[in-house]
Amino acid sequence: VNSMIAHFNGILRYNAGKYQLDIRSKKDTDETIDANGVSYTPSIITEDDIIGSINITDPGTKGTFNTVSASIFDPQNRFESRSVSFLNSDYLKQDRNIPKKGDVKTPGVTNYFNARLNARQYLEESRYGMSINFKTTPKGILLLAGEIITVTNKALEFVDKPFRVTNITILENCLVQVTAEEHSDT
């Protein structure tokens, strides 16, 4: 189910005995109301909250693209394959006019406009590919998959750097292991 709704920027998470659907959105800066009507402020992680070190995975420029192609099965074309491409000229200039092509698979999308949006989003995400992994205090239990957190760390030169939580694991010693991917509002 998560693979299917990922095409539409959704994530299905299990929390407090219930399944919840969350849709990717821009970073909240104000107070937020959750599904249960409880208000809270967006999650801020500082050096005091992190136990141990932050593990960073950054593919660098190897996994970045400036052109993305997608192939969809178009109902208006008797479900024959139709190619959709998206090019960002600013990224092409940043890459010294060297084409970096990527392909995105969207088997659940049959609409040209949705496929174009997914191709554009895949292109944007390729430019923000860093992921982090760290242990935090038991307050990390309050985090939810799909939620945007901000991380501040002087050594890594992160000042309120936004990340989207992808996985949370409660460890035997009551610490919480958090995995998150770099986020951009674009």
Side-chain angles (χ1 to χ4, degrees):
V1 173
N2 267 327
S3 296
M4 182 177 66
I5 62 177
H7 295 302
F8 307 101
N9 294 323
I11 184 172
L12 190 63
R13 61 183 176 214
Y14 188 74
N15 182 39
K18 297 179 184 177
Y19 284 99
Q20 299 172 339
L21 177 65
D22 185 48
I23 305 298
R24 283 189 196 175
S25 60
K26 293 186 176 187
K27 179 177 72 166
D28 288 331
T29 55
D30 299 327
E31 186 176 89
T32 304
I33 310 272
D34 70 4
N36 299 322
V38 178
S39 67
Y40 65 97
T41 54
S43 301
I44 300 168
I45 306 294
T46 63
E47 294 176 39
D48 297 334
D49 299 320
I50 297 172
I51 306 213
S53 62
I54 297 178
N55 297 323
I56 298 176
T57 304
D58 188 2
T61 59
K62 184 179 181 180
T64 61
F65 308 111
N66 51 40
T67 304
V68 174
S69 298
S71 182
I72 63 166
F73 298 105
D74 192 355
Q76 293 180 346
N77 194 21
R78 297 182 185 176
F79 288 95
E80 294 292 325
S81 183
R82 181 176 185 180
S83 182
V84 177
S85 294
F86 191 83
L87 165 74
N88 187 318
S89 60
D90 293 331
Y91 293 160
L92 185 62
K93 288 176 190 173
Q94 290 174 8
D95 295 335
R96 299 180 189 150
N97 290 327
I98 298 171
K100 293 183 171 184
K101 297 179 181 180
D103 292 316
V104 61
K105 298 191 185 321
T106 55
V109 178
T110 58
N111 179 301
Y112 172 81
F113 298 103
N114 283 352
R116 186 161 168 80
L117 287 172
N118 279 10
R120 178 178 179 262
Q121 182 175 336
Y122 184 76
L123 177 65
E124 296 292 336
E125 287 176 355
S126 78
R127 305 304 271 204
Y128 298 94
M130 182 188 316
S131 64
I132 60 172
N133 191 336
F134 60 90
K135 291 179 187 172
T136 187
T137 60
K139 87 171 196 174
I141 294 171
L142 299 174
L143 297 175
L144 298 171
E147 183 177 32
I148 297 174
I149 60 173
T150 58
V151 178
T152 299
N153 186 298
K154 290 179 186 175
L156 298 172
E157 298 180 1
F158 290 170
V159 177
D160 293 334
K161 186 161 182 66
F163 289 89
R164 183 175 300 279
V165 176
T166 56
N167 192 21
I168 300 167
T169 305
I170 302 170
L171 304 174
E172 292 176 1
N173 58 1
C174 293
L175 296 179
V176 179
Q177 186 79 37
V178 177
T179 305
E181 295 175 346
E182 189 175 12
H183 172 77
S184 171
D185 280 343
T186 57

